[in-house]
Amino acid sequence: MKFKFPLQKVLEHRKVVENIAQKNFQDAVAVLNEYQTKLDKMRQDILDAQARAGSLVQAGGAQGPALSQIHEFLKGHKIRIQQQEQNVHEIEKIVEAKREILRQAALDYKIMEKARENQFEEYKAERKIQDQKEADEQSILRFKKNG
């Protein structure tokens, strides 16, 4: 008699759910990384514009329009950075929610896997007892036959 876990379909389903949760979590992390990279680039653009403005001021001369343009860029870009920071914050919340879903799915799968292991151990113990009984019966039959 072969071991058959009665909840095998449930175990397999929970593994599929865990795999889907893992993929969703990885996708959310990828989006977060993309948003974070964009935010970092925006901050670098601010530093570059400030450096350009500094070099124009040091150069002197009639740099008014160029400095004005850089100043307007900085004002607008700071607003865009704030919006991007808000987007990153929202994505971080989503990532945390997906992480919790993944954690719960993994826990559900482990519970079922542990139940399967426990039932398999019980099956092995029962099988060992049954095999011992059969061996004892065979010994008794041989003893009676020879005796």
Side-chain angles (χ1 to χ4, degrees), residues 35 39 42 76-90:
Y35 276 48
L39 180 61
M42 293 171 86
H77 212 57
K78 285 181 181 177
I79 292 170
R80 287 187 291 275
I81 285 176
Q82 287 175 343
Q83 290 171 340
Q84 187 66 16
E85 286 173 341
Q86 186 177 1
N87 291 343
V88 167
H89 185 65
E90 290 171 11

Side-chain angles (χ1 to χ4, degrees), residues 12 14 41:
E12 292 167 2
R14 289 197 178 172
K41 185 187 179 316

Side-chain angles (χ1 to χ4, degrees), residues 100-115:
E100 181 58 28
I101 291 168
L102 173 60
R103 189 194 66 75
Q104 187 60 46
L107 184 62
D108 290 346
Y109 175 74
K110 285 187 185 253
I111 289 170
M112 288 303 296
E113 182 67 22
K114 189 68 175 168

Side-chain angles (χ1 to χ4, degrees), residues 24-72:
N24 290 341
F25 173 71
Q26 289 173 345
D27 291 346
V29 168
V31 170
L32 176 61
N33 290 339
E34 180 182 317
Y35 276 48
Q36 191 64 47
T37 300
K38 183 176 179 182
L39 180 61
D40 293 342
K41 185 187 179 316
M42 293 171 86
R43 287 180 176 148
Q44 186 59 45
D45 290 345
I46 289 277
L47 295 175
D48 293 346
Q50 289 172 339
R52 244 185 347 263
S55 67
L56 287 174
V57 168
Q58 286 181 347
Q63 303 295 338
L67 287 173
S68 175
Q69 186 180 15
I70 291 173
H71 178 70
E72 290 301 315

